[in-house]
Amino acid sequence: PEGPPPLPPPLVVPPEAVRQLCRFVDGSIASFAASPYRKRQLEVATPPSDDDGGLTLQQFLAEPWASRASELVRSIGRLARVDLALLPKDPKEERDIVDWLNADFDPQNPGRPGDTWYLISARWWEQWCECKGEALHINNYELLHQSSLSRVRMGLNHCEDYQLVTEGAWRALHAWYGGPGPPLPRQVIQVDGRCELEIYPLCLHVSRTDDNGKELLADEVMVISRSRLLKEVKEQACALHRFPEPVAVFHKMTLRDEDEWEAGDESKTLHELGFIDEHRLQLRKKSKLRESPLSPAGANSAKGKSNAVGLQNLGNTCYMNASLQCLLNTPMLPLYFEHQYCYDMNLNGSWGMSGKLAVAFSELLAEVERQRNGAGVVAPRSFRRTVGDFKSQFGGFRQQDAQEFLSIFLAGLSDDVNRTHEKPYIELKDSEGRPDQVVADEFWAAHCHREQSAVAALFSSQFKSIARCKDCGHENATFDPFSFLPIPLPEHNFRWVTCTVVSAPQSGNFDQHTVQVCARVPKRGQLSDVLCGAAGLTGLPAEELVAADVASGYVNRLLDSTAAMSTLSDDARPTVFHVPAPLAAVPMPTPTPPPPSSEAEEGREPIPSERVQADGPRQNQETVMVYLVQRRLQKVERYFLNPYAPELFGTPILLRLPLTCSGLELYTSVFGCVKHVVPDFIPDPNARAGPRYPFSLSLVKRDGSACSKCSWREGCLGCRVYPKSNEPVQLRAEATLGIDWDAKVLDKHYKVKIARHVHMHESVKLAQLERNTPENLGQCLESLTQEEEVLMYCKDCTKKKGEYTETVHTKGFKIWSCGPLLVMQLKRFHSGDGASYKLHNLITFPTHLDMGEYLAGEAEGSGCSTDAAGGTEPGENEKDREPAVKTARGDQNSKAATNESQTFRTLSREITQYELYGVVNHIGGMGSGHYTSFVRRGDGSSGSRTKWYCCNDERVYEVSEEDVVSMNAYLLFYVRTDVASGSIALKDLYPPRATSSDQAVKPEEVKKRSWAPSLLKSTFSSGGGNTSSQDSGFCGVM
């Protein structure tokens, strides 16, 4: 017999439908309340209206979920828990409600314009998801900019620093957990036909003029969306300043007096007007507009400027800004993208973006040139959106790698102006003992046949790779092009970890109560090695040390001593606490005990007249570790239940105590941990109202914001624990106690200098000296060319054995010829074997570099030899090989080229000198940090002096040449001397199209064309032959 029919899938009632149902229920109640058959008056909170958008009875009955009474009741109950701030009965129900109200954020599809998302601290979200212990108040202050409660600081990463939740999920979490917040709503806006979440709204400074037309010094700050019309902004600014209309609004980008105020078009949005962060507005009465809006220095605004332009950070775009600054100052590249690129635009290619990247870069270059004598700041929003369309990883707000961005962008830019629309596959022959120059020309011709672009011509160099079989001795040489030269850095098997050691009171030396040490530990070790290192430097027992992550005055979490060192970031500074086993109670010293009557009246125990001797650790008692946070009360202007709010200060404390102890023992143990900061505190035995201890203890949440037992609606700051000897206190592991200091004690006895003093151990200086020991770039280049053993296919061994054979080969790399531009990548970032870290080596690199000593020589059997300078000498087989490339212009005859007109002659083996013109720096550790750049402006011609500038997003300022070399250097940009001096032109390296029939493509037409990522991928033969140069294509890495 057939079984029962399957149950239909459950219907999920959307939250908006539930809200409409609530309106329907309210309307029904209101109708019943107005009916003559009612027996008594019913009170309705919100009378129904005809245009409230609620469901009628017919509409309600027509819904597919209307017959599911249980689901309706459950949905209404969920919303009731949110609206009435009723915490669910268990974590599972709580998580179900939040999941029902929440949604996953997709950066590529953030929603419709006007949709709202809320930022919430990732640290708090992680604690809530774990559902372990008590939940904390929501605290988003770590996300905020220091100057405003509505702005978030730059450098935040989604999922790492913050999470995005829907408005319904935020309302639920904030209703249940409360806290200072503050709410950080962010709206989806539509800019240039695209929807995006505006994480960083504009911050505007609004000033006004007085009745005489003079600007007042006081200004107001507005945080507003760039999608707003200037007219709307003006109305809000007038309300902010209480400035009566009619007024006119003017704007400029900077504070400099020489910059002119511009009249704004009120019918345009702030984005269309080019507003940037920290933009300035000025409100003026229309009756005063006859006066000139220019300052006295406005006529000479172009004088005295550095012509250096900054790029605004659009939210974790420092990696892009630093890279672009070097490209903007790259010789020949801006000249090509002024107009010549329009004749080379590739509108039908499958690899680039059909010209859109080229147009976006050209427009950015033009905007930068316009601002050289203007405000000096450009917001590259349009460029960023285009790059984000090309590769979605650059469209969000996550930090990216500058080298990866440059590699992907330059590859796409090259394809956009590639004269080869379809990249052919060219099978390359093995070297087979032929002259190196012949084989090199074949590889270069194949590369040029596929990469016919000015970008590839400028950034491409060539290296030589020799693989030698250790079994049969077969050799094969390849000459692949590359655009990035990765430089390996010397790596040690250890690392330095800076940590702060907080000693227990039993240590006895309060002058070194808090010590900062730098432990040298194995890079592949565990966190227990840090504890052992700290123990050896401080003389404390390693088994009594505990490492913790401390944030804002409280212990966020304990660090697992068995965890790998790779889990500790490079810039992490853990706090190490000395937590010995509990000793017998040691009451605070006091002169004469007060009368028992006075103590009994206040519910306190009499003070022992003699000191109880410590008998060592307690035996056979279970102990727990508790956290202590130091609090003081601060009066707040705005409050809900309590005009005072606790404020954390000082260093938290870890204390190991018996699972059950008396209140008196608890107070005595805590006082032993803090008595060094109140050394002269002695209570007055005759003062009945005087403090028995300089503090009181309370049961609080982990962050000390409120009571851990009471609901937040009660306004309790912490249930107090009294110092009684006859009432046991039951403790639990990792509970938090608040040390609430007496205000008078803090004012008279608390020693701030002692509390803040951190003794610097000599290991800190030693670690700094070792880190700052410089290493030479030349040594790193030599390590790059060292041979290594690899397992790879051998052609001769396969022929001999009759089957596919892989053998051990020795493989070595050397540079064969030098291109016009050379980009070096100092390989600071490493990932693998479960470890991710950054090398902070100080590498000294010259501003004038000669690559001649690192060039590869000719093979012995090739018929020629190479001298140290990179020149060639004739050999006995000279007639069998093609002429070598001697200069940048080179010999125009090459039989190896498949098409002579398609082979550009940019390489050189004689001109090997380079000049440094740009450096990209990374400041910080693995997975976090900030990018800046150094760029050189001026070529030294006509007696002009070259200057170096530091580009830190919007800020651009002059620096000395000595400042360029630092341990933060990541990418080095060099230009060949013949290109830097101007002795060779772009047309010599990359000749323009010769035919007059070639028509320039209009950028406006390219911008109107639709584009979608191509799914086509180049395929290569898996058979014999060399294909590595074609696999990597342009922007390959050596």
Side-chain angles (χ1 to χ4, degrees), residues 987-999:
K987 63 181 181 179
D988 300 322
L989 297 176
Y990 188 72
R993 290 183 181 269
T995 60
S996 59
S997 59
D998 295 325
Q999 298 294 327

Side-chain angles (χ1 to χ4, degrees), residues 457-742:
L458 292 175
F459 283 93
S460 295
S461 298
Q462 197 174 21
F463 70 88
K464 176 183 178 181
S465 172
I466 300 179
R468 182 182 297 106
C469 178
K470 300 188 69 175
D471 290 352
C472 66
H474 176 262
E475 285 189 5
N476 185 41
T478 59
F479 296 82
D480 293 314
F482 70 93
S483 55
F484 288 90
L485 184 63
I487 307 298
L489 305 186
E491 184 177 355
H492 307 288
N493 57 359
F494 63 87
R495 58 179 287 194
W496 291 97
V497 178
T498 303
C499 53
T500 303
V501 181
V502 181
S503 303
Q506 289 89 330
S507 304
N509 187 2
F510 290 114
D511 291 337
Q512 296 186 8
H513 178 263
T514 305
V515 185
Q516 188 174 93
V517 301
C518 207
R520 182 172 175 172
V521 298
K523 189 173 292 184
R524 304 287 182 178
Q526 297 179 339
L527 290 181
S528 57
D529 296 324
V530 177
L531 300 181
C532 293
L537 295 172
T538 58
L540 299 174
E543 63 273 8
E544 295 181 355
L545 298 182
V546 177
D549 177 22
V550 174
S552 303
Y554 68 93
V555 176
N556 179 50
R557 63 187 178 96
L558 297 181
L559 302 180
D560 184 7
S561 61
T562 61
M565 285 298 302
S566 58
T567 60
L568 198 67
S569 62
D570 295 332
D571 54 352
R573 294 196 171 191
T575 302
V576 177
F577 293 92
H578 178 213
V579 190
L583 302 177
V586 184
M588 54 174 284
T590 182
T592 305
S597 59
S598 62
E599 293 294 335
E601 291 177 2
E602 298 184 16
R604 296 178 296 186
E605 291 294 322
I607 303 176
S609 58
E610 297 181 359
R611 182 184 181 94
V612 180
Q613 298 297 326
D615 297 327
R618 300 192 179 201
Q619 302 295 330
N620 302 324
Q621 288 196 24
E622 184 179 356
T623 61
V624 293
M625 189 182 302
V626 297
Y627 306 145
L628 301 172
V629 295
Q630 304 185 60
R631 305 195 306 175
R632 57 189 172 196
L633 291 180
Q634 294 290 339
K635 194 170 185 179
V636 294
E637 295 181 359
R638 298 180 180 181
Y639 61 92
F640 181 53
L641 295 173
N642 197 326
Y644 291 92
E647 178 188 39
L648 299 187
F649 71 100
T651 305
I653 301 170
L654 262 64
L655 194 60
R656 193 179 298 276
L657 294 170
L659 184 62
T660 302
C661 63
S662 67
L664 182 61
E665 292 176 333
L666 183 60
Y667 269 76
T668 303
S669 300
V670 173
F671 181 75
C673 298
V674 298
K675 62 182 180 181
H676 65 287
V677 297
V678 285
D680 56 352
F681 171 77
I682 298 178
D684 186 359
N686 299 321
R688 296 176 55 184
R692 169 66 174 81
Y693 284 89
F695 55 80
S696 62
L697 297 179
S698 305
L699 299 175
V700 297
K701 293 187 176 184
R702 179 77 62 86
D703 59 354
S705 58
C707 182
S708 60
K709 298 176 63 177
C710 303
S711 172
W712 70 272
R713 289 181 290 274
E714 299 180 20
C716 179
L717 300 180
C719 291
R720 185 173 177 181
V721 178
Y722 292 94
K724 295 182 180 181
S725 60
N726 57 354
E727 291 186 4
V729 178
Q730 189 73 22
L731 300 175
R732 59 181 179 84
E734 299 188 18
T736 303
L737 295 174
I739 304 177
D740 298 324
W741 286 92
D742 184 89

Side-chain angles (χ1 to χ4, degrees), residues 31 95 245 255 259 315 369 384 544 595 614 753 802 979 989 1026:
S31 300
R95 186 61 182 265
E245 296 194 38
L255 278 170
D259 292 337
E369 288 300 320
R384 183 201 180 192
E544 295 181 355
K753 290 185 178 180
V979 178
L989 297 176
N1026 294 305

Side-chain angles (χ1 to χ4, degrees), residues 801-1030:
K801 296 182 180 181
E803 59 182 5
Y804 179 84
T805 305
E806 290 185 353
T807 59
V808 177
H809 287 62
T810 58
K811 193 172 185 178
F813 300 89
K814 274 201 172 184
I815 298 175
W816 174 254
S817 54
C818 301
L821 303 174
L822 181 62
V823 183
M824 294 185 178
Q825 177 194 9
L826 303 182
K827 298 185 67 176
R828 297 190 178 275
F829 302 102
H830 293 262
S831 297
D833 298 332
S836 298
Y837 53 92
K838 177 188 175 183
L839 300 179
H840 296 271
N841 307 41
L842 175 60
I843 306 298
T844 58
F845 47 89
T847 55
H848 299 276
L849 175 66
D850 189 356
M851 297 295 293
E853 57 183 300
Y854 307 106
L855 289 187
E858 291 274 1
E860 294 182 359
S862 62
C864 68
S865 60
T866 304
D867 58 14
T872 57
E873 295 179 356
E876 56 185 37
N877 296 327
E878 180 180 345
K879 62 181 181 179
D880 295 331
R881 71 175 185 87
E882 294 296 324
V885 182
K886 293 186 177 181
T887 65
R889 303 174 191 269
D891 194 335
Q892 299 185 9
N893 298 321
S894 177
K895 297 180 181 179
T898 57
N899 188 341
E900 184 178 356
S901 63
Q902 292 179 337
T903 304
F904 38 83
R905 293 164 295 278
T906 58
L907 302 181
S908 173
R909 284 179 55 83
E910 285 191 348
I911 306 177
T912 60
Q913 292 78 27
Y914 284 89
E915 295 181 5
L916 183 73
Y917 73 91
V919 179
V920 172
N921 306 299
H922 181 268
I923 306 169
M926 186 75 177
S928 63
H930 179 63
Y931 284 97
T932 63
S933 60
F934 295 118
V935 295
R936 189 190 68 177
R937 290 192 56 79
D939 54 6
S941 59
S942 304
S944 62
R945 184 172 64 92
T946 60
K947 297 181 180 180
W948 282 94
Y949 294 91
C950 177
C951 303
N952 186 359
D953 290 333
E954 300 92 340
R955 298 180 59 235
V956 180
Y957 51 91
E958 186 175 348
V959 295
S960 64
E961 187 174 296
E962 291 76 15
D963 296 332
V964 175
V965 179
S966 70
M967 64 174 55
N968 299 319
Y970 179 43
L971 299 178
L972 309 179
F973 291 75
Y974 283 94
V975 56
R976 210 169 57 199
T977 52
D978 58 337
V979 178
S981 62
S983 60
I984 188 171
L986 177 62
K987 63 181 181 179
D988 300 322
L989 297 176
Y990 188 72
R993 290 183 181 269
T995 60
S996 59
S997 59
D998 295 325
Q999 298 294 327
V1001 179
K1002 295 182 179 180
E1004 292 77 11
E1005 297 179 356
V1006 176
K1007 295 169 66 175
K1008 293 178 181 179
R1009 292 168 59 98
S1010 59
W1011 176 84
S1014 176
L1015 299 178
L1016 296 178
K1017 294 183 179 180
S1018 55
T1019 57
F1020 306 102
S1021 172
S1022 59
N1026 294 305
T1027 60
S1028 58
S1029 63
Q1030 302 176 57

